[in-house]
Amino acid sequence: MATIHRFVVVPAIPEKLDALNELAVNVWSLWNYEAVNLFNRLDPDLWEQTNHNPVRLLNLVGQDKLKAAAEDEGFLSHLSRVANLFHSYISQPTWFSINYPESKAVFAYFSAEYGLHESLPIYSGGLGVLSGDHLKSASELGLPLVGVGLLYREGYFHQYLNGDGWQQERNPENDFFAMPIKPAIGPDGKQVVIQVEYPHGLVHAAIWKVNVGRVSLYLMDTNRPENRPEDRAITARLYGGDQDMRIRQEILLGIGGTRALAALGIKPTVCHMNEGHSAFLALERTAVLMEQDKLTFAQAREIIASSNVFTTHTPVPAGNDFFPRDMIEHYFANFHDRLKISREEFLALGRVNAEDPHESFGMTVLALRMAWHCNGVSALHGLVSQRMWQRIWPEVPPHEIPITSITNGVHTQSWLSEGFARLYQEYLGAKWSDRPADHTVWARTNRIPDSELWRTHERRKERLIDFARQRMKDMLSRQGNMIQELQRIDEILDPKVLTIGFARRFATYKRATLLMRNPDRLMKLLKDNNRPIQFIFAGKAHPRDDGGKRYIQDIVRFCQREDVRTRMVFIEDYDMNIARHMTQGVDVWLNTPRRPMEASGTSGMKAAINGVLNLSVLDGWWCEAYNGENGWAIGNGEEYSNDDYQDEMESRNLFELLEKSVIPTYYDRGLDGLPRHWIRRMKNSIQTICPTFNTNRMVQQYCQSFYLSGHEMFEGLTENANSRGTALAAWKKELTDQWPLVKIRSVDAPLQAALKTGDSMKVTAVVELGAINPQHVRVEIYYGQTDPSGDISDPRSHEMALGAVLEKGVYQYVGALNAAVCGQQGFALRVLPDHPDIELRLEPRLIRWG
């Protein structure tokens, strides 16, 4: 075949419309409704057909329409206004620049998927959308942050349903030159290409750049002519292929992503691993530092771990990536040589029990071992994660396992309807959007007249129903239904009826069919002529999840019943566009996960910013958000050992809430037709949820809790030719070698039958430290009330003072225990390492209990 010489054709935009080119390639234009309206104004039908893709729109729009726009004073004025808004956004001072003007920090955020917009289909669901919202808020706060990921040629699958309601998948290819994305250009004027070693040889990956406001996202693409076909497929599909493909993608993400930043001249001081997919970056960063500064693995590991952040999103062990030993040995045959450690030491980095040679290699385990800053994504998930990974820290009580929590949020501007945005601008203040995490701003929600709030919501509901009808027509038309059937679509759904939405990934634990455990009770609600309800469902099941597919089929079949079809619909091919319509238009957002398997969840947050009320199991974020007046809770946070019993009990509770509270409150109208009690709940929901559950608060929390401290640790440990880092590694090795000799020889406390509140009990202990300097340990009294099993619940700790040297390596420690609380009490003594550069109580196997 002849050699094909490639070139790119770009649209001939009139000079007066030049600003459109700049706006089209920055995702800011897709979360600013003024900019969205501008592109929609060029050609509304084409805007919908291109899935709201500004680059593709400009590629396809007719020259006659561009010429007309260039001569339209109204359009030019609109363009000028949006361009000025964009330039003002980019140039204005930010939270970070104001508070940390001298900072030299650079933060790199790694994720396997990014849900920035439906026109960039390189995401599958909640994890990707969170990553996209993280970058958007990093832009708004002005963080010196870059994103790193993979550019999937086919993205995630598109869903379509056959006539029987069974999910089918198709994978159309993305055209990168018709998306808001550009090649990342190096100093030589060419697209940057990096190389990653695989067992068979080098794999080349081109780097692409997405502008996300002030933030850059860099994505790697292996669809290169110099690669073998199987290597070109590495970035073909998100979560596609088998376990072998998964490890190849994760090598590219972690190791290749680190090299991509280096090739671009970006030197991050902190790296954030969003889920375990990118954990190999910790190994590459360590190896690079060793080679660059001639350090040992132990020395480089301390420095790198101090500046790594890891966020886990999975509340069950099975949801984490584990690779068999032989696969790791195949792909990392020589990497341990590069790190100058043995093969077993390398494999131990990914084992829960480092000494078990038969254990698989876990990406989450690797990330936990190689990051000092670890968190779950809700308060409950933080506790679940501590219990789930306690075996890595076998001597540490669960509540002290070094996994904290930062609860997820959503990017307010991306999910807020235009109608509500205008309402907030009028009543919360013109600059409200600059302070989305300010509770005083959202307290002004009470200023919004009930009638305006309700009419704005009703208009969004009408738009949702029009949208749902059109999607149903498209689906039925594709399935070959008769014209008469298509005409009947206009009968489905009623804007005046209480509308409940359920849309998310169709994993079985999310229990999409919980309502159908009692179909008769459900039918009674659907067919009630006085106070009816209706449902809109959407969501995808993983291609290999037949259980999730059966849930979809069960719902679709139920929707197809003649006595149900006007009151319940399933919209196929769930994406961010459908999510926006639903979270902006339904009355109630339903969430029914099996607690505690929902790590956080964010769809209900998106609904709340649009005045939609949540009806959810107390799991994930809803545990923190629910206050009794801002929505409804299914159950009381119970956890069951029998899934079927749990489903039955919570299904009954859900029906009782609908019958006795949700439906009566919605239909309780005054003479003016307004549901005043419902509106009061809407305002309570907006006031309590919006300022807390947004990504501006979340990213600011990551920055203040993890990023800045990680940067400071990295800078401190690497200063003066890594002197502090090498000293820390030497201290830790000496401590680890001597730790087996540490022993609490005796404890003396004058135990009495009972102490009175306020009394103090003196505690002394004799502790053997061997060759360890007493300044390098901390001896603590660990105490509190005891539970029925005899364990200390709600524990506290109090450091004991060094009293006397009894003999060489043997010391007396003195402390006091105050009786502040009545009831059965208990205490224990423990010895922990102590060092100014790190709180080493987080280290596995470096704790000694008496």
Side-chain angles (χ1 to χ4, degrees):
M1 182 177 176
T3 300
I4 297 175
H5 301 277
R6 301 175 184 271
F7 59 96
V8 178
V9 178
V10 297
I13 304 294
E15 186 176 348
K16 290 183 178 179
L17 304 181
D18 268 351
L20 285 175
N21 284 318
E22 181 183 26
L23 294 170
V25 292
N26 197 304
V27 178
W28 175 90
S29 300
L30 299 173
W31 79 70
N32 180 284
Y33 66 83
E34 286 273 22
V36 170
N37 289 339
L38 177 72
F39 286 108
N40 180 68
R41 189 170 176 172
L42 269 178
D43 189 328
D45 292 335
L46 189 58
W47 181 243
E48 291 300 322
Q49 292 169 21
T50 60
N51 210 19
H52 315 128
N53 183 336
V55 175
R56 186 163 175 77
L57 173 77
L58 295 181
N59 286 350
L60 297 178
V61 70
Q63 288 295 314
D64 56 333
K65 293 190 176 181
L66 288 172
K67 183 179 179 181
E71 297 172 355
D72 183 340
E73 291 298 327
F75 186 89
L76 292 175
S77 175
H78 190 173
L79 174 59
S80 176
R81 184 170 68 253
V82 172
N84 288 337
L85 281 172
F86 175 67
H87 293 139
S88 173
Y89 173 86
I90 293 296
S91 61
Q92 68 187 4
T94 64
W95 171 81
F96 193 88
S97 68
I98 292 171
N99 289 282
Y100 307 99
E102 305 299 324
S103 177
K104 304 297 187 211
V106 179
F107 312 134
Y109 181 88
F110 287 68
S111 182
E113 54 173 305
Y114 288 90
L116 291 162
H117 189 259
E118 60 267 21
S119 63
L120 269 167
I122 54 172
Y123 64 92
S124 72
L127 177 70
V129 173
L130 177 77
S131 300
D133 283 5
H134 192 110
L135 297 194
K136 294 172 186 177
S137 284
S139 168
E140 296 193 340
L141 293 166
L143 265 63
L145 182 144
V146 296
V148 180
L150 304 181
L151 184 58
Y152 304 100
R153 191 171 71 252
E154 298 177 7
Y156 198 55
F157 74 91
H158 287 264
Q159 175 198 60
Y160 67 97
L161 305 177
N162 64 21
D164 194 35
W166 189 257
Q167 174 181 292
Q168 306 287 310
E169 298 92 26
R170 58 187 178 88
N171 292 86
E173 290 202 14
N174 289 320
D175 179 2
F176 300 155
F177 293 97
M179 295 165 64
I181 184 172
K182 293 286 187 182
I185 304 301
D188 59 358
K190 299 179 181 179
Q191 185 172 18
V192 177
V193 177
I194 55 106
Q195 299 175 344
V196 178
E197 301 85 1
Y198 284 79
H200 64 271
L202 293 176
V203 172
H204 300 77
I207 313 302
W208 298 75
K209 180 181 178 181
V210 183
N211 297 310
V212 186
R214 303 179 180 90
V215 165
S216 296
L217 167 61
Y218 295 101
L219 302 170
M220 291 167 287
D221 165 30
T222 62
N223 186 27
R224 301 280 301 173
E226 60 265 42
N227 286 335
R228 304 182 312 165
E230 52 267 46
D231 294 332
R232 297 177 72 161
I234 292 174
T235 55
R237 293 182 183 178
L238 171 61
Y239 304 142
D242 55 14
Q243 196 176 36
D244 187 69
M245 177 58 73
R246 175 64 67 90
I247 194 172
R248 291 161 67 197
Q249 289 183 331
E250 295 184 351
I251 288 170
L252 179 64
L253 177 61
I255 296 176
T258 304
R259 295 181 184 180
L261 293 179
L264 293 163
I266 298 170
K267 299 178 180 178
T269 55
V270 174
C271 286
H272 185 167
M273 299 172 277
N274 191 44
E275 195 52 282
H277 307 122
S278 59
F280 290 136
L281 75 82
L283 302 179
E284 177 69 10
R285 289 189 76 201
T286 302
V288 168
L289 187 60
M290 290 174 64
E291 294 157 356
Q292 171 187 296
D293 291 354
K294 308 298 185 228
L295 300 178
T296 67
F297 173 74
Q299 293 165 343
R301 177 185 180 178
E302 296 301 326
I303 295 169
I304 294 304
S306 75
S307 60
N308 279 343
V309 177
F310 170 57
T311 299
T312 176
H313 294 260
T314 312
V316 290
N320 296 269
D321 286 337
F322 281 90
F323 298 112
R325 177 187 177 117
D326 59 350
M327 184 175 286
I328 293 294
E329 290 180 327
H330 175 67
Y331 281 100
F332 291 89
N334 300 315
F335 209 99
H336 65 89
D337 288 335
R338 192 175 168 208
L339 295 174
K340 295 181 172 53
I341 57 177
S342 70
R343 186 186 303 271
E344 286 303 316
E345 286 175 314
F346 179 87
L347 293 169
L349 294 171
R351 297 175 184 149
V352 175
N353 180 357
E355 298 174 359
D356 182 357
H358 304 294
E359 191 176 310
S360 296
F361 189 98
M363 297 298 284
T364 299
V365 180
L366 174 63
L368 288 169
R369 290 191 183 279
M370 295 294 291
W372 284 5
H373 315 277
C374 304
N375 70 286
V377 290
S378 70
L380 177 60
H381 181 234
L383 297 175
V384 170
S385 299
Q386 287 176 327
R387 294 196 299 266
M388 191 163 76
W389 301 109
Q390 186 182 6
R391 287 200 301 127
I392 298 177
W393 294 270
E395 314 96 332
V396 179
H399 75 282
E400 290 186 310
I401 297 297
I403 303 175
T404 61
S405 65
I406 294 179
T407 302
N408 284 344
V410 297
H411 182 248
T412 305
Q413 295 284 63
S414 291
W415 300 101
L416 185 64
S417 71
E418 181 180 345
F420 266 79
R422 295 187 185 280
L423 202 63
Y424 292 158
Q425 187 166 3
E426 181 174 356
Y427 292 101
L428 305 189
K431 297 289 186 180
W432 76 270
S433 59
D434 295 337
R435 298 155 58 194
D438 189 335
H439 287 260
T440 62
V441 169
W442 292 100
R444 300 171 192 159
T445 303
N446 285 327
R447 299 178 183 177
I448 303 174
D450 287 358
S451 57
E452 287 194 51
L453 183 67
W454 188 247
R455 301 307 172 213
T456 301
H457 170 66
E458 284 192 315
R459 285 191 290 272
R460 286 305 314 179
K461 191 156 111 176
E462 289 165 1
R463 287 191 62 183
L464 167 62
I465 288 175
D466 288 342
F467 174 81
R469 289 171 177 170
Q470 185 58 52
R471 284 301 186 107
M472 292 299 295
K473 287 179 182 177
D474 294 342
M475 181 180 72
L476 293 178
S477 178
R478 179 186 52 74
Q479 292 175 349
N481 283 268
M482 303 291 288
I483 294 177
Q484 296 90 330
E485 186 66 26
L486 296 178
Q487 291 174 339
R488 295 177 69 202
I489 292 297
D490 290 332
E491 301 171 4
I492 71 168
L493 305 177
D494 183 342
K496 300 300 182 184
V497 169
L498 171 61
T499 304
I500 299 175
F502 182 100
R504 52 189 39 86
R505 180 167 58 93
F506 263 65
T508 52
Y509 79 85
K510 293 178 183 286
R511 300 187 298 179
T513 58
L514 190 64
L515 279 162
M516 297 177 188
R517 287 185 68 92
N518 194 329
D520 293 337
R521 204 168 175 180
L522 176 59
M523 286 301 303
K524 184 178 179 181
L525 297 179
L526 293 172
K527 297 174 71 172
D528 188 322
N529 291 325
N530 295 318
R531 301 188 307 181
I533 63 173
Q534 58 193 14
F535 292 88
I536 302 177
F537 287 88
K540 296 177 178 179
H542 189 279
R544 293 191 293 273
D545 182 5
D546 285 347
K549 289 183 179 182
R550 277 192 291 273
Y551 276 16
I552 292 174
Q553 186 179 49
D554 289 344
I555 291 172
V556 172
R557 285 177 172 175
F558 195 83
C559 293
Q560 291 171 342
R561 289 175 47 170
E562 186 61 30
D563 54 351
V564 172
R565 68 175 193 85
T566 62
R567 288 283 184 259
M568 186 179 288
V569 299
F570 185 98
I571 303 176
E572 68 178 3
D573 204 20
Y574 184 50
D575 66 359
M576 291 178 73
N577 185 32
I578 294 174
R580 272 198 306 275
H581 277 84
M582 289 186 64
T583 56
Q584 292 173 3
V586 298
D587 298 301
V588 173
W589 195 255
L590 179 62
N591 187 33
T592 55
R594 182 176 289 117
R595 178 184 165 113
M597 298 181 70
E598 184 85 290
S600 174
T602 57
S603 58
M605 304 173 192
K606 298 160 192 165
I609 62 177
N610 293 286
V612 175
L613 296 178
N614 278 272
L615 170 58
S616 175
V617 170
L618 284 168
D619 197 9
W621 77 284
W622 191 233
C623 298
E624 300 165 54
Y626 177 63
N627 70 0
E629 298 295 330
N630 58 0
W632 292 273
I634 301 169
N636 295 305
E638 301 93 345
E639 295 180 20
Y640 299 81
S641 58
N642 183 301
D643 289 349
D644 188 66
Y645 181 70
Q646 180 176 3
D647 293 351
E648 180 62 27
M649 295 303 296
E650 291 180 345
S651 173
R652 292 181 187 178
N653 186 242
L654 172 56
F655 276 109
E656 288 174 4
L657 282 170
L658 288 171
E659 294 162 352
K660 297 178 181 178
S661 184
V662 179
I663 295 172
T665 305
Y666 181 83
Y667 286 105
D668 180 15
R669 308 294 175 101
L671 295 177
D672 55 6
L674 296 177
R676 297 284 183 178
H677 295 295
W678 188 277
I679 293 170
R680 189 159 61 243
R681 279 184 179 263
M682 288 174 68
K683 289 183 176 181
N684 193 312
S685 172
I686 293 168
Q687 289 174 325
T688 57
I689 292 173
C690 294
T692 300
F693 298 94
N694 65 80
T695 43
N696 280 46
R697 182 275 309 160
M698 182 193 80
V699 172
Q700 188 172 329
Q701 194 174 349
Y702 273 111
C703 184
Q704 293 176 321
S705 299
F706 291 164
Y707 294 172
L708 291 172
S709 61
H711 169 73
E712 290 171 4
M713 289 301 300
F714 183 82
E715 292 288 284
L717 294 178
T718 56
E719 67 184 7
N720 299 323
N722 306 295
S723 60
R724 281 174 55 189
T726 55
L728 176 60
W731 171 85
K732 183 177 170 184
K733 182 181 185 307
E734 180 183 355
L735 194 77
T736 303
D737 291 343
Q738 294 293 327
W739 199 255
L741 302 177
V742 174
K743 181 193 301 183
I744 298 177
R745 182 186 291 180
S746 65
V747 178
D748 182 32
L751 293 174
Q752 303 174 20
L755 293 176
K756 293 181 180 179
T757 303
D759 285 351
S760 179
M761 179 172 63
K762 183 179 179 181
V763 180
T764 59
V766 176
V767 179
E768 295 183 19
L769 296 180
I772 297 175
N773 189 320
Q775 293 181 348
H776 294 167
V777 301
R778 183 170 64 255
V779 180
E780 291 184 344
I781 304 172
Y782 179 88
Y783 67 101
Q785 289 186 289
T786 55
D787 59 26
S789 64
D791 294 327
I792 297 174
S793 59
D794 191 22
R796 286 162 286 174
S797 60
H798 175 70
E799 185 173 358
M800 301 179 74
L802 178 61
V805 180
L806 302 181
E807 56 185 272
K808 186 177 180 180
V810 180
Y811 306 88
Q812 182 191 63
Y813 284 83
V814 180
L817 193 156
N818 295 317
V821 180
C822 294
Q824 182 72 45
Q825 307 280 311
F827 78 93
L829 264 57
R830 62 184 183 181
V831 184
L832 304 168
D834 194 19
H835 190 280
D837 273 337
I838 178 176
E839 175 124 358
L840 272 180
R841 72 164 61 198
L842 312 184
E843 286 294 316
R845 307 187 189 284
L846 285 182
I847 181 171
R848 179 75 71 231
W849 290 92

mmCIF file with all atom_site columns, all heavy atoms in Angstrom, residues 1-8:
data_model
loop_
_atom_site.group_PDB
_atom_site.id
_atom_site.type_symbol
_atom_site.label_atom_id
_atom_site.label_alt_id
_atom_site.label_comp_id
_atom_site.label_asym_id
_atom_site.label_entity_id
_atom_site.label_seq_id
_atom_site.pdbx_PDB_ins_code
_atom_site.Cartn_x
_atom_site.Cartn_y
_atom_site.Cartn_z
_atom_site.occupancy
_atom_site.B_iso_or_equiv
_atom_site.pdbx_formal_charge
_atom_site.auth_seq_id
_atom_site.auth_comp_id
_atom_site.auth_asym_id
_atom_site.auth_atom_id
_atom_site.pdbx_PDB_model_num
ATOM 1  N N   . MET A 1 1 ? 0.848  -1.196 0.000  1.00 0.00 ? 1 MET A N   1
ATOM 2  C CA  . MET A 1 1 ? 0.000  0.000  0.000  1.00 0.00 ? 1 MET A CA  1
ATOM 3  C C   . MET A 1 1 ? 0.882  1.243  0.000  1.00 0.00 ? 1 MET A C   1
ATOM 4  O O   . MET A 1 1 ? 1.934  1.292  0.633  1.00 0.00 ? 1 MET A O   1
ATOM 5  C CB  . MET A 1 1 ? -0.904 -0.003 1.234  1.00 0.00 ? 1 MET A CB  1
ATOM 6  C CG  . MET A 1 1 ? -1.865 1.172  1.293  1.00 0.00 ? 1 MET A CG  1
ATOM 7  S SD  . MET A 1 1 ? -2.970 1.046  2.742  1.00 0.00 ? 1 MET A SD  1
ATOM 8  C CE  . MET A 1 1 ? -3.858 2.595  2.563  1.00 0.00 ? 1 MET A CE  1
ATOM 9  N N   . ALA A 1 2 ? 0.450  2.284  -0.676 1.00 0.00 ? 2 ALA A N   1
ATOM 10 C CA  . ALA A 1 2 ? 1.226  3.518  -0.769 1.00 0.00 ? 2 ALA A CA  1
ATOM 11 C C   . ALA A 1 2 ? 1.300  4.209  0.586  1.00 0.00 ? 2 ALA A C   1
ATOM 12 O O   . ALA A 1 2 ? 0.385  4.102  1.410  1.00 0.00 ? 2 ALA A O   1
ATOM 13 C CB  . ALA A 1 2 ? 0.585  4.458  -1.791 1.00 0.00 ? 2 ALA A CB  1
ATOM 14 N N   . THR A 1 3 ? 2.387  4.935  0.798  1.00 0.00 ? 3 THR A N   1
ATOM 15 C CA  . THR A 1 3 ? 2.537  5.703  2.031  1.00 0.00 ? 3 THR A CA  1
ATOM 16 C C   . THR A 1 3 ? 1.525  6.844  2.040  1.00 0.00 ? 3 THR A C   1
ATOM 17 O O   . THR A 1 3 ? 1.365  7.568  1.053  1.00 0.00 ? 3 THR A O   1
ATOM 18 C CB  . THR A 1 3 ? 3.955  6.284  2.135  1.00 0.00 ? 3 THR A CB  1
ATOM 19 O OG1 . THR A 1 3 ? 4.882  5.203  2.136  1.00 0.00 ? 3 THR A OG1 1
ATOM 20 C CG2 . THR A 1 3 ? 4.107  7.104  3.401  1.00 0.00 ? 3 THR A CG2 1
ATOM 21 N N   . ILE A 1 4 ? 0.839  6.983  3.183  1.00 0.00 ? 4 ILE A N   1
ATOM 22 C CA  . ILE A 1 4 ? -0.155 8.052  3.320  1.00 0.00 ? 4 ILE A CA  1
ATOM 23 C C   . ILE A 1 4 ? 0.473  9.221  4.049  1.00 0.00 ? 4 ILE A C   1
ATOM 24 O O   . ILE A 1 4 ? 0.984  9.070  5.163  1.00 0.00 ? 4 ILE A O   1
ATOM 25 C CB  . ILE A 1 4 ? -1.398 7.555  4.072  1.00 0.00 ? 4 ILE A CB  1
ATOM 26 C CG1 . ILE A 1 4 ? -2.088 6.437  3.279  1.00 0.00 ? 4 ILE A CG1 1
ATOM 27 C CG2 . ILE A 1 4 ? -2.366 8.713  4.336  1.00 0.00 ? 4 ILE A CG2 1
ATOM 28 C CD1 . ILE A 1 4 ? -3.259 5.813  3.992  1.00 0.00 ? 4 ILE A CD1 1
ATOM 29 N N   . HIS A 1 5 ? 0.468  10.388 3.449  1.00 0.00 ? 5 HIS A N   1
ATOM 30 C CA  . HIS A 1 5 ? 0.989  11.598 4.064  1.00 0.00 ? 5 HIS A CA  1
ATOM 31 C C   . HIS A 1 5 ? -0.184 12.356 4.685  1.00 0.00 ? 5 HIS A C   1
ATOM 32 O O   . HIS A 1 5 ? -1.138 12.709 3.980  1.00 0.00 ? 5 HIS A O   1
ATOM 33 C CB  . HIS A 1 5 ? 1.695  12.465 3.019  1.00 0.00 ? 5 HIS A CB  1
ATOM 34 C CG  . HIS A 1 5 ? 2.840  11.760 2.352  1.00 0.00 ? 5 HIS A CG  1
ATOM 35 N ND1 . HIS A 1 5 ? 4.095  11.678 2.904  1.00 0.00 ? 5 HIS A ND1 1
ATOM 36 C CD2 . HIS A 1 5 ? 2.895  11.057 1.180  1.00 0.00 ? 5 HIS A CD2 1
ATOM 37 C CE1 . HIS A 1 5 ? 4.895  10.989 2.110  1.00 0.00 ? 5 HIS A CE1 1
ATOM 38 N NE2 . HIS A 1 5 ? 4.184  10.588 1.056  1.00 0.00 ? 5 HIS A NE2 1
ATOM 39 N N   . ARG A 1 6 ? -0.116 12.573 5.967  1.00 0.00 ? 6 ARG A N   1
ATOM 40 C CA  . ARG A 1 6 ? -1.248 13.145 6.696  1.00 0.00 ? 6 ARG A CA  1
ATOM 41 C C   . ARG A 1 6 ? -1.137 14.654 6.821  1.00 0.00 ? 6 ARG A C   1
ATOM 42 O O   . ARG A 1 6 ? -0.042 15.202 6.942  1.00 0.00 ? 6 ARG A O   1
ATOM 43 C CB  . ARG A 1 6 ? -1.336 12.517 8.092  1.00 0.00 ? 6 ARG A CB  1
ATOM 44 C CG  . ARG A 1 6 ? -1.516 11.010 8.080  1.00 0.00 ? 6 ARG A CG  1
ATOM 45 C CD  . ARG A 1 6 ? -1.478 10.421 9.488  1.00 0.00 ? 6 ARG A CD  1
ATOM 46 N NE  . ARG A 1 6 ? -1.557 8.975  9.453  1.00 0.00 ? 6 ARG A NE  1
ATOM 47 C CZ  . ARG A 1 6 ? -2.700 8.287  9.470  1.00 0.00 ? 6 ARG A CZ  1
ATOM 48 N NH1 . ARG A 1 6 ? -3.846 8.927  9.546  1.00 0.00 ? 6 ARG A NH1 1
ATOM 49 N NH2 . ARG A 1 6 ? -2.686 6.967  9.431  1.00 0.00 ? 6 ARG A NH2 1
ATOM 50 N N   . PHE A 1 7 ? -2.269 15.311 6.793  1.00 0.00 ? 7 PHE A N   1
ATOM 51 C CA  . PHE A 1 7 ? -2.334 16.737 7.056  1.00 0.00 ? 7 PHE A CA  1
ATOM 52 C C   . PHE A 1 7 ? -3.694 17.048 7.669  1.00 0.00 ? 7 PHE A C   1
ATOM 53 O O   . PHE A 1 7 ? -4.610 16.223 7.638  1.00 0.00 ? 7 PHE A O   1
ATOM 54 C CB  . PHE A 1 7 ? -2.115 17.557 5.780  1.00 0.00 ? 7 PHE A CB  1
ATOM 55 C CG  . PHE A 1 7 ? -3.121 17.264 4.685  1.00 0.00 ? 7 PHE A CG  1
ATOM 56 C CD1 . PHE A 1 7 ? -4.253 18.064 4.531  1.00 0.00 ? 7 PHE A CD1 1
ATOM 57 C CD2 . PHE A 1 7 ? -2.926 16.193 3.811  1.00 0.00 ? 7 PHE A CD2 1
ATOM 58 C CE1 . PHE A 1 7 ? -5.169 17.789 3.532  1.00 0.00 ? 7 PHE A CE1 1
ATOM 59 C CE2 . PHE A 1 7 ? -3.840 15.923 2.816  1.00 0.00 ? 7 PHE A CE2 1
ATOM 60 C CZ  . PHE A 1 7 ? -4.971 16.723 2.665  1.00 0.00 ? 7 PHE A CZ  1
ATOM 61 N N   . VAL A 1 8 ? -3.805 18.210 8.263  1.00 0.00 ? 8 VAL A N   1
ATOM 62 C CA  . VAL A 1 8 ? -5.021 18.600 8.979  1.00 0.00 ? 8 VAL A CA  1
ATOM 63 C C   . VAL A 1 8 ? -5.641 19.814 8.299  1.00 0.00 ? 8 VAL A C   1
ATOM 64 O O   . VAL A 1 8 ? -4.938 20.763 7.929  1.00 0.00 ? 8 VAL A O   1
ATOM 65 C CB  . VAL A 1 8 ? -4.706 18.931 10.455 1.00 0.00 ? 8 VAL A CB  1
ATOM 66 C CG1 . VAL A 1 8 ? -5.969 19.390 11.176 1.00 0.00 ? 8 VAL A CG1 1
ATOM 67 C CG2 . VAL A 1 8 ? -4.115 17.711 11.141 1.00 0.00 ? 8 VAL A CG2 1
#
